Amino acid sequence: MQRIAATLLALLVLAAAAPGQVLRQLDAIEAEAAATAARAERQPVFTAPPVGAEVLRLENGLEVVLLPNPSQPMVGVYTQVKVGSAWEDFATSGMSHMLEHLLFNGTDRYTQDELYAAADRLGAYNNAHTTDFYTDFMMVLPAEQLEQGLELQSQMLFHSLLPQEKFAKEQDIVLGELAMSRDRGDPYFEETLRQAMYGGSSLALPTLGTSATIAALDRDATYAFYKAWYVPNNMILTVAGRFDRDQTLTWLQEYYGEVAPRSVPVADLTPARPLVRTETLSRRGGGQRMAALVFAAPARGESDEAAFQLATQLLTADGSGILTRALEDLPEADRPSLAAWWQAAPGFARYVLEFTLTPTSDPDQLYGLVQNALAGALDAGLPADDLRAAVAGERTATLKQREQLRMTGIYIAEPLVLGGPDALLGHLDRIRAVTPESAAAALRTWLVDQPCLALLVEPEAADTGIAPLDAARLDRSVLPGGAVLVTQTDPYSELLAVHLTVRDRAGLDQRAGEPGALNLVHRLLTTGVAGCDAACLARRLGAIGAEIKLVDDPRFPMDDYYTTGRYSFLRLECPAEDAPEALALLVELVQYSTFTAEDLERERRDQERLLARRETSATARSQQLLREGLYGDHPLAQEPEGTTASVAAVGFDDLRSLYRRAFQPENLIIAVVSPLAHDEVARLLSGLPTAGGQPEALPPLPLTTAPLRLTASLGGSLGAVRVGAVRRVAAADEPALELLVDVLSDRLQMDLRETRGLGYSVGAAFELAAADRGVFTAWVSPPRARLAEAEEALNGDLRAFDAASITQDELDKARSARQGRLLMRRLDSISRAYYLAMSELDTGGLDAYRHGLDAYDGVTLADLRRVASFFSELPLVTVVVD
């Protein structure tokens, strides 16, 4: 480049004397620059895999990836079978997912009951899920049980029988799962968008299939599908966590390597139609006003994939995002909310901007708004600080994924199947190599002035736009203002994980006058702190790669772990090296939030839309009715997130007062898992106030003294039956009662789901809600047409349950399964912080955390029979929603 620059200077001197010669030399310089750029594109860039990682292939074609982490107490085995709904047609639609279910129904060596029992005895998490391109089988279990886990999974993958007598039962279960997916929200926009994007391609059909296609499947065709695709040379297997490398390879050869390879069906995919010009579609249906702009995007493995991934994060980052700021310039009444995602496929991909519109939003403005925002940002240059924050955030996410063995199989599956092992192992190096220039180039290539598919969906109701390492050191202290600090110092961790718990959520809401008030407060915390508005706060969080969670995510049905009236929460995660800034930010959020009345009105409208949708769900309605029936006037009877009416009634002054009351230091439990010593964490939290009073406390729960039946009708396709009761119990009986109800739950699932096919969601639970109060619940969510049958069957099974019939094997399985779940829930730092906080909240100390696993060791059959008196003449509150 220096030589080219020097030549250009010389040409300036000669230009006047020999213009023709200058032009020829300029052409040569241009050609040399182009050759240099092309050479740079072909220059190999090597990435360093994680320490200890290996990529191998067994002689029968099975790909193997080893990801050792000796500090983990467990090991995960994840096998992706490279077949999914992309290889199906209408005659086979849903077959991959159906097959995933069927592989849990028995093998050459195990019956279905024996398969479940073997996993429970190992303390294993054994699950699977299906996508467009692969079916992912995941097993996580204590490290010392690895051989048995490999044997069990290999039996399912290669030796399943698909019993004819189980086939109809699984069809009913999958049909129930389809009904449940529809019950979770309005599916019209999602299905319309899928057809608009992928109609005529291999991605046109839904992964679950449809009610018609599932009902039409037969066992023999499904078995032929299984034998054709479930071969070792069509699989990738990953072992992650704590394991002995050589011994593991020996076991892999024994259980997986001896299976013969076979030819795989020709797997050519039909790609989505290329987006050569802008296409516009308008539809009417569903219950929400929505729009989408869909652009072509880099597929996995393309040279600018990493640059595009990070560049698009800069578009939608909270506060500072390029499109986030552009939307904030719109009048508030017209401002849509934005979600974005990148969906990769072999050889093609799509980037989707999804807008939830207000009644007055103008969809015609969206493309111009996006293009103007991109052009302005690129003209100014992408900020290096924002890009560094995106890299830091990706680093935090990757560090977390290495710990969360239960979720690791989900995180690694797509890059492994679509990009190969190097796409997974070299991910962080490719991310680190992205520059502002390469990120800008990716945006110009794929988004700036590019054609798109534009979809607008107007709701059917034209008058509204609103749709309804236990060994790590534990310490505890009380900080000067009364906040309780509990820590686990883990020298092997590189993460800071903070779970801040606010006591007595329901009582605080009740004193504020409206259910859901504290939920609104949490949602407003990131609008700004003293001297730092929302954009400033987002930049500060992004600079340290911090992930913050203040409420459960309504988009994910299983993300309701914290939606309870007992407490509210704030979770913060980032690399531990940034702990000083992170904990300072935490103190600012809970003591100096500056949310305004305007912020409240905006959040109020968003919450009203979310709650209106939830109020059409049979599952959510049944949960709320059961709370009301069990708790009466007790604060816990309230809906923790409120209702559309209660959220509309909350006043700003009441909310500011609630904020101050809720986050008084004496009302806080701060649980921290990190490599930092307890005293160092306490020092970093010294910004909390040093004066306090008494913490909030809930009154005792009312006991259930008489039967009660509550009903509601929503008119959806899914029904719900729930029963429950509150009884006085001794705290010492909690482990035995939990295991007793676990056995009951297993029997309910085997009868109501596995035998009768009455619903996908079936079970029972017991919780010690206070020192002497136990809460029992049981449920089934059947299709609406089978509601009466499901209620009768649930009540019949409860009446017939006899603790004297429980076998030692059932007790042992329940104990191992519960201990395995508890181990899994403590895999990652933030989950350990949660359980530390719950130990303090429930018992006022850390003994419950220390002994959470061994509390079940001494439980005997005699203990189960003794505590079964809990169910004697049990008056039940019954809720039925159709």
Side-chain angles (χ1 to χ4, degrees):
M1 291 301 295
Q2 290 178 339
R3 182 167 60 82
I4 292 174
T7 304
L8 285 171
L9 288 173
L11 289 175
L12 291 173
V13 177
L14 297 173
Q21 182 180 356
V22 169
L23 290 175
R24 286 191 294 275
Q25 292 191 41
L26 284 172
D27 288 341
I29 291 171
E30 183 178 347
E32 183 175 352
T36 301
R39 190 180 307 116
E41 287 187 1
R42 292 189 290 269
Q43 170 68 32
V45 178
F46 295 102
T47 60
V51 175
E54 292 185 71
V55 179
L56 309 166
R57 186 189 293 272
L58 302 188
E59 290 187 359
N60 63 359
L62 176 71
E63 292 186 83
V64 175
V65 179
L66 301 180
L67 298 174
N69 184 349
S71 69
Q72 291 278 29
M74 303 187 83
V75 61
V77 183
Y78 317 105
T79 302
Q80 291 84 45
V81 185
K82 291 185 279 188
V83 65
S85 56
W87 286 277
E88 297 169 355
D89 56 26
F90 270 102
T92 59
S93 179
M95 189 173 281
S96 298
H97 176 246
M98 179 74 171
L99 185 55
E100 171 215 313
H101 278 251
L102 288 165
L103 263 58
F104 288 83
N105 280 267
T107 73
D108 288 346
R109 188 169 298 170
Y110 300 101
T111 66
Q112 182 182 26
D113 288 350
E114 290 169 343
L115 201 63
Y116 284 121
D120 285 344
R121 276 193 294 270
L122 297 176
Y125 168 75
N126 188 21
N127 209 341
H129 78 288
T130 306
T131 72
D132 294 319
F133 302 109
Y134 55 86
T135 307
D136 191 13
F137 291 84
M138 304 165 287
M139 181 173 288
V140 182
L141 67 168
E144 59 272 15
Q145 306 288 357
L146 175 57
E147 181 183 7
Q148 292 85 346
L150 291 171
E151 189 267 343
L152 202 63
Q153 189 185 83
S154 67
Q155 276 284 310
M156 294 172 59
L157 291 172
F158 301 118
H159 307 291
S160 285
L161 299 177
L162 280 60
Q164 179 67 56
E165 66 273 14
K166 301 283 189 179
F167 196 85
K169 177 263 294 184
E170 289 298 340
Q171 283 177 305
D172 284 341
I173 290 174
V174 173
L175 290 171
E177 193 174 351
L178 284 167
M180 182 176 292
S181 68
R182 290 190 292 270
D183 184 58
R184 290 170 182 162
D186 182 358
Y188 181 83
F189 177 78
E190 295 176 9
E191 179 58 25
T192 303
L193 180 59
R194 172 186 277 269
Q195 290 304 314
M197 290 168 61
Y198 297 127
S201 79
S202 295
L203 299 186
L205 296 172
T207 300
L208 295 183
T210 68
S211 298
T213 63
I214 295 300
L217 295 179
D218 72 81
R219 183 265 177 195
D220 291 344
T222 306
Y223 188 77
F225 188 90
Y226 166 56
K227 285 300 183 181
W229 292 98
Y230 276 64
V231 296
N233 46 304
N234 194 45
M235 298 178 180
I236 304 175
L237 183 148
T238 301
V239 184
R242 180 159 63 88
F243 59 89
D244 179 274
R245 182 241 187 220
D246 293 340
Q247 181 62 76
T248 299
L249 290 179
T250 299
W251 289 332
L252 286 174
Q253 179 60 36
E254 177 180 355
Y255 296 115
Y256 295 78
E258 301 302 324
V259 179
R262 293 196 302 274
S263 297
V264 180
V266 176
D268 290 339
L269 296 175
T270 304
R273 293 181 297 107
L275 292 173
V276 295
R277 63 180 183 276
T278 292
E279 298 180 33
T280 305
L281 303 174
S282 298
R283 299 287 185 269
R284 185 174 294 281
Q288 178 67 59
R289 192 168 189 246
M290 303 286 293
L293 301 178
V294 182
F295 296 86
R300 288 217 175 255
E302 295 199 31
S303 60
D304 57 353
E305 171 195 343
F308 184 82
Q309 179 183 349
L310 286 184
T312 51
Q313 289 183 25
L314 301 184
L315 300 184
T316 57
D318 289 342
S320 62
I322 294 167
L323 298 183
T324 306
R325 295 197 307 268
L327 289 171
E328 288 175 351
D329 289 339
L330 295 176
E332 187 172 338
D334 304 334
R335 186 184 307 154
S337 60
L338 171 64
W341 71 91
W342 168 52
Q343 184 171 13
F348 66 96
R350 294 290 181 262
Y351 181 68
V352 182
L353 296 171
E354 179 184 308
F355 299 90
T356 302
L357 306 176
T358 72
T360 57
S361 295
D362 182 0
D364 292 334
Q365 289 184 338
L366 297 177
Y367 183 83
L369 179 144
V370 169
Q371 294 301 327
N372 291 337
L374 289 171
L378 294 177
D379 287 346
L382 296 181
D385 287 347
D386 288 356
L387 188 63
R388 281 193 292 270
V391 172
E394 190 67 18
R395 178 188 173 205
T396 299
T398 302
L399 287 172
K400 290 174 58 181
Q401 291 165 14
R402 294 174 185 173
E403 291 187 345
Q404 296 169 332
L405 290 183
R406 182 178 180 183
M407 302 299 293
T408 298
I410 294 175
Y411 291 132
I412 68 175
E414 182 177 306
L416 273 177
V417 174
L418 299 187
D422 291 295
L424 173 72
L425 302 181
H427 171 65
L428 280 185
D429 281 349
R430 284 188 290 274
I431 288 293
R432 291 190 188 99
V434 175
T435 64
E437 292 75 21
S438 63
L443 291 178
R444 289 192 180 93
T445 299
W446 296 101
L447 300 184
V448 175
D449 293 331
Q450 296 301 314
C452 71
L453 170 69
L455 171 67
L456 173 65
V457 171
E458 296 283 4
E460 292 174 327
D463 59 342
T464 178
I466 301 175
L469 296 162
D470 294 329
R473 176 171 176 172
L474 301 178
D475 291 285
R476 177 187 186 275
S477 66
V478 179
L479 300 180
V484 176
L485 174 64
V486 291
T487 64
Q488 185 174 48
T489 303
D490 183 355
Y492 295 99
S493 174
E494 298 180 58
L495 279 168
L496 171 78
V498 184
H499 188 287
L500 182 146
T501 304
V502 180
R503 305 174 193 263
D504 189 24
R505 170 181 183 160
L508 286 163
D509 274 351
Q510 191 175 70
R511 285 183 282 278
E514 297 295 343
L518 192 52
N519 179 55
L520 282 173
V521 169
H522 278 261
R523 292 175 180 274
L524 291 167
L525 291 180
T526 53
T527 58
V529 296
C532 183
D533 62 12
C536 163
L537 188 56
R539 284 193 297 270
R540 290 175 63 186
L541 290 166
I544 59 174
E547 293 188 7
I548 189 167
K549 182 173 180 177
L550 303 163
V551 292
D552 288 323
D553 192 329
R555 296 173 299 173
F556 302 108
M558 297 304 292
D559 191 33
D560 58 358
Y561 209 48
Y562 304 95
T563 304
T564 170
R566 297 181 60 225
Y567 60 87
S568 62
F569 72 95
L570 186 157
R571 298 189 345 173
L572 178 66
E573 299 167 89
C574 71
E577 63 192 42
D578 295 311
E581 172 67 6
L583 292 175
L585 273 169
L586 177 71
V587 171
E588 291 182 62
L589 285 171
V590 300
Q591 298 298 319
Y592 306 110
S593 179
T594 55
F595 63 84
T596 65
E598 290 75 18
D599 295 327
L600 169 60
E601 292 310 311
R602 181 178 60 254
E603 188 57 49
R604 192 199 307 275
R605 285 192 292 272
D606 289 343
Q607 272 300 285
E608 287 173 346
R609 283 194 288 267
L610 288 171
L611 292 171
R613 294 183 67 179
R614 191 187 65 194
E615 287 166 4
T616 65
S617 164
T619 302
R621 183 67 176 128
S622 68
Q623 291 168 337
Q624 176 57 29
L625 275 178
L626 186 60
R627 278 195 296 268
E628 294 171 3
L630 289 176
Y631 305 141
D633 294 332
H634 192 279
L636 287 180
Q638 301 173 150
E639 171 59 56
E641 293 174 313
T643 64
T644 51
S646 69
V647 166
V650 174
F652 176 70
D653 291 340
D654 291 335
L655 216 60
R656 288 299 308 182
S657 176
L658 175 61
Y659 167 67
R660 291 188 293 271
R661 185 185 310 118
F663 290 104
Q664 288 175 347
E666 70 273 10
N667 207 40
L668 304 181
I669 300 169
I670 306 172
V672 179
V673 176
S674 74
L676 279 65
H678 182 87
D679 290 346
E680 175 65 7
V681 177
R683 184 186 67 79
L684 293 173
L685 290 169
S686 60
L688 287 171
T690 56
Q694 292 298 314
E696 305 284 350
L698 284 166
L701 285 177
L703 299 173
T704 306
T705 58
L708 177 65
R709 180 181 173 85
L710 301 172
T711 62
S713 182
L714 300 179
S717 59
L718 188 75
V721 181
R722 288 183 180 269
V723 300
V726 181
R727 299 204 77 169
R728 195 183 305 276
V729 298
D733 288 339
E734 180 183 13
L737 276 165
E738 288 178 331
L739 292 179
L740 177 69
V741 175
D742 284 351
V743 173
L744 169 62
S745 186
D746 287 344
R747 290 190 181 184
L748 290 175
Q749 290 169 11
M750 290 302 297
D751 182 37
L752 303 185
R753 183 173 69 193
E754 302 298 335
T755 301
R756 307 192 198 197
L758 280 170
Y760 182 78
S761 178
V762 179
F766 172 83
E767 177 186 12
L768 190 67
D772 64 345
R773 296 290 195 275
V775 181
F776 166 74
T777 54
W779 63 91
V780 57
S781 297
R784 187 182 182 195
R786 303 184 70 185
L787 191 60
E789 178 188 356
E791 181 183 2
E792 181 180 354
L794 175 62
N795 286 322
D797 281 2
L798 293 178
R799 288 192 300 270
F801 181 59
D802 181 4
S805 68
I806 298 174
T807 66
Q808 185 65 47
D809 186 56
E810 282 184 296
L811 171 57
D812 292 341
K813 286 189 301 181
R815 184 183 0 250
S816 295
R818 178 168 281 271
Q819 289 173 328
R821 289 194 299 271
L822 288 173
L823 270 175
M824 194 174 315
R825 290 169 183 170
R826 296 188 186 188
L827 280 172
D828 58 330
S829 299
I830 193 63
S831 295
R832 281 180 274 160
Y834 164 76
Y835 279 102
L836 280 171
M838 293 304 100
S839 179
E840 173 65 30
L841 180 69
D842 294 340
T843 67
L846 300 181
D847 283 349
Y849 183 85
R850 288 189 179 97
H851 305 299
L853 294 173
D854 55 29
Y856 304 97
D857 289 343
V859 176
T860 66
L861 285 174
D863 292 324
L864 297 193
R865 291 162 187 159
R866 174 178 53 81
V867 300
S869 61
F870 179 90
F871 293 99
S872 299
E873 300 179 1
L874 184 66
L876 288 176
V877 174
T878 300
V879 169
V880 179
V881 177
D882 65 18

